[in-house]
Amino acid sequence: MRLKPELSVHKRTPARTGLQATMRQMNESSHANDTSAPEHASEWLALQQERAPAGHWDEWRGSLNEPVDLLTPTPDEHDAKPATLSAAWLGFTAQQDMATQSHQGAAADTSELNTRMANLQRQVRDNGITYNVYAAADQPQRPWSLDLFPLMLDTADWQQIEAGVLQRMQLLERIMADAYGPQQLVLKGQLPAALVQGHPAYLPAMHGVAPVGGRYLSLAAFDLARGPEGCWWLLSQRTQAPSGLGYLLENRQIVSRLFPRAFEAFPVQRLAETYRTLIDGIKARSPAGAGAHIALLTPGPYNETYFEHAYLARYLGLSLVQGNDLTVRDEKLYLKTLQGLQPVHGLLKRVDDDWLDPLELRADSTLGVPGLLQAVRSGQVLVANTPGSGFLESNALLGFMPALARDLLGQALQLPAIPNWWCGEAAALQDVLPRIQNCVIKPTYPYNTDRQSFEPVLGHQLSRMAQNEWAERILRDPDAHTLQSWLPLSHQPTWQSGAQGTACIQSRPVVLRVFAVTDAQGGWQVLPGGLARLGSREGMASMQRGGSSADVWVQKTATAPSQPQTQSQSQSQSQSQSQFQSQSQSQSQSTWQTPEAQVPARGSSAKDTRANANALQRQRLVTSRAAENLFWMGRYTERTENTLRLVRLSLEILGSENQNLPSLLNFITRMATRHGLVRAGVPGATQAHRVFERALIAGLWDRELATSVGFNLRSVRLAAAAVRERLSPEHWRLLEQAETRFFKPAPLDAPWVPPDTVAAQSLLADTSQMLAALTGAQTDRMSRDDGWRLLSIGRHIERLTFLSHALDEAVKLGLMAEQAGFDTVLDLFDSTISFHAQYQQTRTPQALLDLLVTHSDNPRSLGWVARTLRARLLRLSHLAEGATLDLAQRVPQLIGLPPESLWPAETHDRAGRPRPPCTLALPLHATLVHCQTAAHEVSDHLCGLFFTHSGQARYSVGA
């Protein structure tokens, strides 16, 4: 039986033709009623430097840019209609003129739009919105690309899109149910087996498994484009892990604030309700119901869309987890947290199916969870989407959808797809191969290494020889190739800021991605908006290859409040994004409570149940991975401050009048060597004064053979990136700014040369100020949960180790006996002002130890650090069966010790003989060694207690 691809979509349906005629009448009537429209539009049209190419739909003008026909005579100028904007853009530009109160023409508009574009780019940077391409630790974060102007869809456009997407979502669900159920579509010849069971993304292990919650698909994305006739066409569909939900929300929040009057006047449908529908639907269909614990599975901070993962987790109130955060025990999914293993009932995955389970899928995957598929098969966890939906993404499937819609739904497709020909069918191959120059060559099995996969190729851009080579390649493996008819994409106006303050409007091709989600009742709802992806002048470019994005405004209906169309009529009225965000952020600050804890006792009233629920203290879950990264974020932050202060102090000594004091030079040499500020083998300061100084400066940026300021600063950012969902935008921006300023790139045409001492000191001073702000953000701007306590513990472990070792070295080298050495110790402890205020010029060892060891109010005192560390450990006593209580007892109690017990005031023995300095310092040395040993023991035991769960050995996968 010949399987016909989708060819009938070349012609518009009569209904759509009437809809387009109605739209044209609306535009003409609006222009007729507004006599100032041509004059108003001409000012904005003058800003456009590039129109849409001939034969492409122009979103700016709302019409086709007709190709020039040299054989057709030019119409009389009195018969030609004046160029104008579409109705949506006329309203948009009118609001801008009203807002600026300006009638000075295009020049004023240019200045205003330039200012808004600068504000947009600043907001993107401030919010830390990034899209990285194969991100690496040594590469800067790439800012998200967003255009100033939104893509505006009127009611007629959205009605076609929404109805068509809902219908296709229903059809995809039916295809998925058949593929993993009776497989009648293949048996009857309605779908070729090569596109279902033969697809690498099809998972035989999931065949016969009923979907948890009754639906295979909880979320899907559809890529659409407007053709030359003004209709919307389907280009592709994404079901495994579609991206864009977080970016489009950020786009909306930024662009709507730049054009508030136009946003309200259009008016624009809100987005927040659909996000609530998505999460409520996953919870309602999960095994635990409305009280379910939902997590978002991310590949990690090196993924190009990691910002979106962290943003969505924070916005939706989900736990952001990686594969090693989860474990399967007795066919149930658990999250490894400081509180132990916590059940997970729903997983919103952003990892492709191949990587989900190394036991049954890719064995080399470190992104998934061993045993996850077995947990899904047992019905213990809902994964959105159900693993195995990847075969639905094949473009070859689109050609069979019209017939499937008639057979499965009894309906004709309302949203046509671009004609596709799967070359695995002999008739289709024979039909389309001669017309390869008018097609786009696409892989049948994209993103898979088992079959041929390649980037799409435009046939009309190939030479005759290249076309023949591709034809031969297709004939060698026809199943792996699908040809799609080339569609001239519509062009969207974009604001391009040029050099010397010049700017203009240019057109760029646009593809619209819309999202459909499943609600609590199993119906579907389409997000009233989307993510518009903009290409280059030459054609579409993916976000990985330098594409841009735009906000999408969907017009509300004139007769009804904003309510997205859905197949289940149980949706509540939409709420504002800010309200939803504040509620979900509040939710994200608390932990999930087990449904068993929420079940009322027999005989208890609903009032009692609510009272008990309100009495529950909700604490935020802290995963073991997040706890470890917070711990090391604290340690590296403190380590950066310590090494920075040590480098500054060393450079000051090397350039001061004390540069020839052997004790000081030995001290900075030993400290610099111990903490990795210079490379191994560098002569000490006593041997080669200037060589040591240059090595100290060069080591600041050395990330391979030294662990100086640059190494530690970058380590702070890497640890913070793994817990970005826990950090405020301001906190993250501080980290990025500190790293960017410190690693300011050198000109490309010049080799990098370390700065001189003065420039290095200036940079270190600026970095010190930013670190002080970062310390304030960690201290006062983070919720003081168990994760924050581990961050604080990390900082105090590092401070206790560094300061006790520095003081011990100073005592060994006899720095106390010299004024310069005495001042150096005070400077390193950042306690010079406090010492002079309390002790004036009393430069005795006892006074120094009183301030730096036993003082209760000096935050740089070892006693204060030890007391705070002990208090943090005691606050964690509710974890790990109180194991931190014993750790707290190991930390020495220094506050209240008399300084004379550490350094006796009597310098002579009873016989009148002077005591050696080493004998006097023995008690102090023992105490300092105790501090260092205790800090190391606490660090090692915390790693064993909270960052691994090896002690809980049970079966990982049930039989």
Side-chain angles (χ1 to χ4, degrees), residues 33-82:
N33 295 334
D34 185 6
T35 58
S36 63
E39 179 181 358
H40 164 75
S42 63
E43 298 179 357
W44 284 83
L45 288 169
L47 297 175
Q48 189 174 26
Q49 187 180 83
E50 294 180 354
R51 290 191 59 178
H56 294 249
W57 183 269
D58 192 340
E59 300 286 348
W60 180 243
R61 290 171 168 81
S63 61
L64 174 67
N65 189 14
E66 298 286 354
V68 178
D69 190 349
L70 299 178
L71 300 179
T72 303
T74 304
D76 185 80
E77 62 178 359
H78 297 291
D79 297 332
K81 294 182 179 179

Side-chain angles (χ1 to χ4, degrees), residues 343-466:
V344 176
H345 308 104
L347 205 59
L348 181 61
K349 67 180 180 69
R350 299 305 302 271
V351 176
D352 286 342
D353 293 344
D354 284 351
W355 308 88
L356 281 179
D357 188 343
L359 287 183
E360 301 192 45
L361 301 174
R362 291 191 56 151
D364 60 341
S365 172
T366 59
L367 306 178
V369 186
L372 179 59
L373 288 190
Q374 179 61 27
V376 175
R377 286 194 293 263
S378 67
Q380 300 293 341
V381 60
L382 184 152
V383 176
N385 289 325
T386 301
S389 65
F391 77 95
L392 297 175
E393 297 184 352
S394 175
N395 281 93
L397 199 66
L398 296 179
F400 303 93
M401 299 289 265
L404 293 176
R406 289 190 297 269
D407 293 340
L408 298 179
L409 305 180
Q411 303 170 357
L413 286 175
Q414 301 181 53
L415 181 64
I418 298 299
N420 289 265
W421 293 266
W422 176 53
C423 296
E425 184 190 14
L429 176 63
Q430 183 180 4
D431 178 33
V432 74
L433 204 56
R435 295 182 281 111
I436 192 174
Q437 71 275 8
N438 297 323
C439 296
V440 181
I441 307 170
K442 292 188 172 184
T444 302
Y445 312 109
Y447 320 118
N448 279 278
T449 56
D450 297 339
R451 300 295 300 268
Q452 283 197 45
S453 185
F454 50 89
E455 291 294 325
V457 178
L458 300 179
H460 66 270
Q461 293 183 354
L462 298 175
S463 64
R464 175 62 64 180
M465 180 180 296

Side-chain angles (χ1 to χ4, degrees), residues 493-636:
T494 65
W495 187 251
Q496 303 293 328
S497 299
Q500 290 83 39
T502 60
C504 63
I505 294 175
Q506 297 180 3
S507 68
R508 293 290 182 266
V510 59
V511 170
L512 170 64
R513 171 167 290 190
V514 297
F515 296 85
V517 303
T518 307
D519 61 22
Q521 287 71 36
W524 292 280
Q525 179 175 314
V526 182
L527 179 78
L531 180 67
R533 295 186 292 126
L534 307 175
S536 64
R537 184 68 180 177
E538 291 73 24
M540 278 307 299
S542 64
M543 302 304 294
Q544 292 94 333
R545 299 182 180 273
S548 185
S549 69
D551 190 18
V552 179
W553 291 6
V554 174
Q555 189 177 32
K556 291 181 183 178
T557 57
T559 57
S562 175
Q563 182 83 13
Q565 181 179 346
T566 176
Q567 292 188 338
S568 63
Q569 303 300 324
S570 62
Q571 306 302 325
S572 61
Q573 296 182 351
S574 63
Q575 301 180 11
S576 67
Q577 291 172 221
S578 59
Q579 179 183 0
F580 179 37
Q581 185 172 14
S582 63
Q583 292 176 354
S584 41
Q585 283 180 345
S586 174
Q587 177 185 354
S588 70
Q589 296 297 323
S590 59
T591 185
W592 166 86
Q593 296 290 339
T594 61
E596 290 78 10
Q598 297 176 358
V599 175
R602 182 173 299 179
S604 63
S605 64
K607 182 177 180 181
D608 294 334
T609 302
R610 288 192 298 270
N612 293 334
N614 293 333
L616 289 174
Q617 182 178 3
R618 298 172 63 86
Q619 296 181 351
R620 186 177 188 177
L621 288 177
V622 183
T623 67
S624 299
R625 176 188 55 82
E628 185 173 11
N629 281 285
L630 286 168
F631 176 76
W632 282 104
M633 179 182 170
R635 291 200 66 168
Y636 276 119

Side-chain angles (χ1 to χ4, degrees), residues 574-734:
S574 63
Q575 301 180 11
S576 67
Q577 291 172 221
S578 59
Q579 179 183 0
F580 179 37
Q581 185 172 14
S582 63
Q583 292 176 354
S584 41
Q585 283 180 345
S586 174
Q587 177 185 354
S588 70
Q589 296 297 323
S590 59
T591 185
W592 166 86
Q593 296 290 339
T594 61
E596 290 78 10
Q598 297 176 358
V599 175
R602 182 173 299 179
S604 63
S605 64
K607 182 177 180 181
D608 294 334
T609 302
R610 288 192 298 270
N612 293 334
N614 293 333
L616 289 174
Q617 182 178 3
R618 298 172 63 86
Q619 296 181 351
R620 186 177 188 177
L621 288 177
V622 183
T623 67
S624 299
R625 176 188 55 82
E628 185 173 11
N629 281 285
L630 286 168
F631 176 76
W632 282 104
M633 179 182 170
R635 291 200 66 168
Y636 276 119
T637 304
E638 185 68 28
R639 193 175 295 180
T640 305
E641 288 191 359
N642 294 336
T643 53
L644 188 147
R645 185 177 295 108
L646 181 57
V647 173
R648 293 183 68 186
L649 178 62
S650 300
L651 293 178
E652 289 176 1
I653 291 174
L654 293 173
S656 69
E657 60 184 6
N658 300 315
Q659 58 182 292
N660 295 320
L661 288 179
S663 59
L664 281 181
L665 296 181
N666 282 330
F667 177 73
I668 62 175
T669 299
R670 295 177 65 167
M671 290 293 294
T673 303
R674 163 71 181 267
H675 295 283
L677 304 186
V678 294
R679 292 190 175 191
V682 173
T686 55
Q687 297 172 309
H689 185 107
R690 295 306 168 194
V691 173
F692 181 81
E693 182 179 24
R694 288 195 297 269
L696 199 62
I697 295 175
L700 290 172
W701 295 273
D702 193 339
R703 299 192 299 271
E704 297 178 358
L705 300 178
T707 54
S708 189
V709 178
F711 177 89
N712 293 322
L713 187 60
R714 181 145 291 176
S715 299
V716 174
R717 200 262 300 165
L718 291 176
V723 290
R724 186 169 176 181
E725 77 281 4
R726 300 178 64 94
L727 307 180
S728 66
E730 295 80 9
H731 195 161
W732 179 255
R733 188 162 62 250
L734 270 174

Side-chain angles (χ1 to χ4, degrees), residues 15 137 161 209 249 338 459 506 554 588 591 763 822 929 937:
I161 293 173
V209 179
L249 194 59
L338 295 180
Q506 297 180 3
V554 174
S588 70
T591 185
L763 177 62
F822 200 95
V929 170
E937 289 180 353

